[in-house]
Amino acid sequence: MICGKRLATICAIAIFCDIGLILYFIKYYGNQKCFVTIDEHQEIETILPDNFLSIGIDASELQDHRVDFTKLRFRELAAALKPAHLRIGGTMSDRLIFSPKDNPHFSCNECASNISKAECHAVKKMCKHKELPFFVLTGKKWSEINEFCNATGIKLLFALNLLLRDNHEWNSDNAVEMFEYSRHRGYKVDWQLGNEPNSLHHIFHVTVTPKMLAHDFKKLRHVLDHHGYNNSLLVGPDTTRPQPNCHNCLQYMIDFLGNGSNVINVRSWHQYYLNSRTAKLEDFWDPKTFNLLSDQIMTMKNNTENYNDIPMWLTETSSSYGGGAPGLSNSYAGSPLWLDKLGLCAKHNITTVVRQSFFGGNYSLVDNNLEPLPDWWVSVLYKKLVGNKVLHLNCNCSPMQRMYVHCTNRKYTNDKTAITIYAINLEMGKARFFLNGTAIQGKDLNIDEFIISAPSNNRKTKTVLLNGWPLYYENSMPDLVPHHIRYGNVISMPPYSIGFWVVKNTLIKNCN
């Protein structure tokens, strides 16, 4: 009798354990069954430039030699993201004075005898605004920046100082000194004028209306054409993102285009999701945060649709404004937002996305010791695998999974039908995707899989795993080796992960 009771107890425990295991697997491995449908006959509506994913460095980082553009490792880390634009801008670009001299001496009281009249005039203008100090970009540093761009295959995009003004008009004298210095050395540069002009009155107590700015851009275009830069792009106006509580943010862009659309090559704006001072980890992984960008893009596009012939760029963008949230913007916590931004911008034909920043601040791709951070690895994989032809898919997934598809980068494979799917999984549970549709040939697919994840699901990590192995950059780029899936039509993602899949031998002919 006792043996029978013990046996019954053991059987009951075993049954409960089995039920527990079943529930565990259902929760973490069986709860997400997403069907992804890809049509073979879809048309290619968007073809991105090769420098779609670009990088920025804040002008403030040029002060006090914070950035050494001559370091080999710094150049190697940047070259891994070529081709790209390097934008140098930000608030301090409107406090920057160019001097061809290596050791110029400036003060608000007097100018040295070897300083040009244009430089002296610029100093006096800057001294009137005491909120932030001005600083000088020397010819030597300017040459280092341009030589860095030449060596890495990156094109420079530089924001000129809009606050050098006389009688409500931009004074171009200091810019002309920079143009002449650059022209004689063969530097190829694209240009901007000012940074977030709709916010200048908040920072400097100076108002530059959209009509005034349009006039200044026309003047800049004329000056560029007469000083050897007639082929340079002119990008603007770099307004802040449209927000419900900031009517001026959007209206400034509309009014500027109404007055100056005929002189710019690109209409540009800035975008951030969160405030760095208040953002929390869960904000970075909340689908509501992700949806902010698509709403802002549609608002901007719908209100400027009369100018759709002018490409649209995000010339400054990251997860949170105010320098980035420490331990979040520069960790794996920010990586899903970054990859989703690339996917959304590609989908909506935003043809260049400039990541703030490559170096400097708490949202950088590379830390102060020149160690790559998680978003650098995500960016490298994106450049390696994702081509510039944007495709469409239908996914019946939950809001916790977000997915995009492009033709594969032709440098990765000679297969002209290959496509690259990339996705994020925002929840603590495994996600499975069943690939089907007329583009998919049968159930035995040939797939190269790259899964980025966090050790022990630590979303604040600065060291990420690729297919289970930690990624380190020592003296050169490591081999980024895929996991090969030879059979089946299912791809899956661990909890809190990012995935890239190169699917070969599809029936999509438009990737040729």
Side-chain angles (χ1 to χ4, degrees), residues 304-377:
T304 63
E305 60 185 355
N306 292 337
Y307 310 98
N308 282 343
D309 56 322
I310 306 173
M312 183 177 285
W313 292 5
L314 286 186
T315 42
E316 182 182 312
T317 188
S318 193
S319 55
S320 60
Y321 60 88
L328 295 172
S329 299
N330 55 357
S331 74
Y332 182 64
S335 296
L337 278 173
W338 174 228
L339 184 63
D340 189 70
K341 178 172 291 179
L342 294 173
L344 276 175
C345 286
K347 179 180 177 180
H348 289 291
N349 199 25
I350 306 293
T351 54
T352 295
V353 178
V354 180
R355 168 58 185 257
Q356 186 80 352
S357 64
F358 178 70
F359 178 89
N362 289 308
Y363 40 32
S364 62
L365 300 179
V366 176
D367 71 15
N368 291 338
N369 297 317
L370 301 187
E371 293 295 337
L373 295 167
D375 283 6
W376 184 87
W377 292 107

Side-chain angles (χ1 to χ4, degrees), residues 38-40 415-419 435-447 486-489 503-509:
I38 304 173
D39 180 13
E40 74 173 291
D415 184 346
K416 297 179 181 179
T417 69
I419 61 174
L435 304 181
N436 59 21
T438 59
I440 304 301
Q441 298 190 63
K443 295 183 179 180
D444 294 332
L445 301 178
N446 183 359
I447 303 174
R486 296 297 185 189
Y487 305 102
N489 65 338
V503 184
K504 302 174 183 177
N505 300 319
T506 75
L507 293 176
I508 296 181
K509 297 179 175 60

Side-chain angles (χ1 to χ4, degrees), residues 181-194:
Y181 183 95
S182 303
R183 181 175 66 86
H184 287 302
R185 289 159 178 79
Y187 299 154
K188 296 179 180 180
V189 187
D190 293 325
W191 305 93
Q192 299 184 277
L193 181 58

Side-chain angles (χ1 to χ4, degrees), residues 180-218:
E180 285 298 302
Y181 183 95
S182 303
R183 181 175 66 86
H184 287 302
R185 289 159 178 79
Y187 299 154
K188 296 179 180 180
V189 187
D190 293 325
W191 305 93
Q192 299 184 277
L193 181 58
N195 180 80
E196 299 182 355
N198 58 302
S199 297
L200 287 176
H201 61 284
H202 292 305
I203 302 171
F204 300 111
H205 307 295
V206 174
T207 298
V208 177
T209 67
K211 188 174 182 179
M212 292 163 62
L213 184 65
H215 174 78
D216 296 336
F217 266 76
K218 291 174 183 177

Side-chain angles (χ1 to χ4, degrees), residues 484-496:
H484 298 291
I485 303 174
R486 296 297 185 189
Y487 305 102
N489 65 338
V490 177
I491 55 178
S492 60
M493 303 180 71
Y496 299 142

Side-chain angles (χ1 to χ4, degrees), residues 11 139 201 334 416 474 483:
C11 289
H201 61 284
K416 297 179 181 179
E474 295 179 349
H483 168 65

Side-chain angles (χ1 to χ4, degrees), residues 12-63:
I13 292 172
I15 290 170
F16 280 118
C17 289
D18 288 341
I19 293 173
L21 285 172
I22 291 170
L23 291 174
Y24 175 86
F25 276 95
I26 289 174
K27 179 178 180 181
Y28 291 109
Y29 292 92
N31 61 332
Q32 293 298 334
K33 294 181 179 179
C34 305
F35 288 87
V36 178
T37 305
I38 304 173
D39 180 13
E40 74 173 291
H41 298 296
Q42 58 182 287
E43 296 182 3
I44 306 294
E45 297 178 356
T46 299
I47 301 178
L48 303 170
D50 291 339
N51 59 8
F52 165 70
L53 193 166
S54 290
I55 54 177
I57 293 179
D58 198 273
S60 62
E61 298 294 330
L62 304 184
Q63 302 180 76

Side-chain angles (χ1 to χ4, degrees), residues 238-255:
D238 270 34
T239 53
T240 56
R241 66 198 181 284
Q243 301 175 72
N245 60 347
C246 180
H247 175 72
N248 181 55
C249 299
L250 176 62
Q251 193 61 44
Y252 198 103
M253 170 69 82
I254 296 170
D255 292 346

